[in-house]
Amino acid sequence: MQYTKTYDSPLGEILLAADEQGLTGLWFDKEKYFARNLDPEHKRGDPPALKETCRWLDVYFSGREPTFTPPLHIIGTPFQKEVWQILLQIPYGETVTYGDIAHKIASNRGVGEMSAQAVGGAVGHNEISIIIPCHRVVGANGSLTGYAGGVDKKNFLLRLEGADISKFSIPTKGTAIKSEW
């Protein structure tokens, strides 16, 4: 059984979902893949994983780096999970490119190369945004592209973390440009 709760953030409402194992989803209202894997039989509740997630978000949105991670129940393909585990290793306030992640996977697998586009697909389908920090992934050309919640939110999150975003550009065309919040 999945339980849901709404969290009021500086970026608008965030829907949280968890089961007995941990957090299964964290979605900005109206994001591209909003609640894509939410169980139709879910109900409102406040299990321990959701309480810990709210505590984590309170710390995060206060401008501090959380020193703990709420319990996560990551659901996805083996490749997606591999990408998301790498995302969890990106330090607070730092960024990497899709290509950096592709090189890391290729190295881990002992193969010559890995597709940055495939990595981008996995990053874009991350169901637990912010905590699994897909907002810390940028384009090789310095673009803040590719965030399902909207590039404006990605920009806000990176600024909140104190990342140097002066070297990045904000795309003017694409599928995840601006959200309304």
Side-chain angles (χ1 to χ4, degrees):
M1 170 61 71
Q2 278 184 316
Y3 299 91
T4 61
K5 179 176 185 169
T6 302
Y7 180 87
D8 289 321
S9 83
L11 296 171
E13 284 190 353
I14 295 175
L15 178 64
L16 307 174
D19 61 17
E20 296 78 20
Q21 295 180 46
L23 187 69
T24 57
L26 186 157
W27 305 278
F28 289 108
D29 190 36
K30 300 178 185 167
E31 79 170 53
K32 187 173 182 180
Y33 301 110
F34 183 79
R36 183 177 51 120
N37 289 331
L38 185 61
D39 184 343
E41 301 297 318
H42 70 278
K43 62 182 180 179
R44 290 280 180 186
D46 203 17
L50 292 183
K51 289 179 184 175
E52 279 296 290
T53 300
C54 289
R55 191 167 72 88
W56 189 98
L57 290 168
D58 287 344
V59 171
Y60 181 82
F61 282 118
S62 76
R64 295 176 290 140
E65 179 180 4
T67 58
F68 65 97
T69 302
L72 304 177
H73 181 190
I74 300 171
I75 301 167
T77 68
F79 178 72
Q80 288 172 327
K81 288 179 180 181
E82 185 176 8
V83 170
W84 299 335
Q85 287 301 321
I86 292 170
L87 295 181
L88 284 165
Q89 297 169 22
I90 304 170
Y92 181 89
E94 295 185 25
T95 60
V96 301
T97 67
Y98 297 95
D100 293 335
I101 296 171
H103 289 347
K104 183 165 182 70
I105 291 172
S107 175
N108 290 348
R109 292 181 173 190
V111 297
E113 41 182 272
M114 173 63 60
S115 165
Q117 290 79 12
V119 167
V123 170
H125 285 84
N126 171 21
E127 295 285 323
I128 305 175
S129 65
I130 306 175
I131 296 172
I132 298 178
C134 50
H135 62 279
R136 297 181 189 152
V137 184
V138 299
N141 65 356
S143 175
L144 290 182
T145 190
Y147 192 60
V151 173
D152 54 338
K153 288 182 174 75
K154 183 174 193 164
N155 187 8
F156 178 94
L157 296 171
L158 289 172
R159 285 179 186 273
L160 179 68
E161 293 181 14
D164 177 12
I165 63 167
S166 64
K167 59 188 171 194
F168 300 123
S169 63
I170 296 176
T172 57
K173 295 180 181 179
T175 60
I177 300 304
K178 182 156 174 71
S179 61
E180 298 300 322
W181 55 277

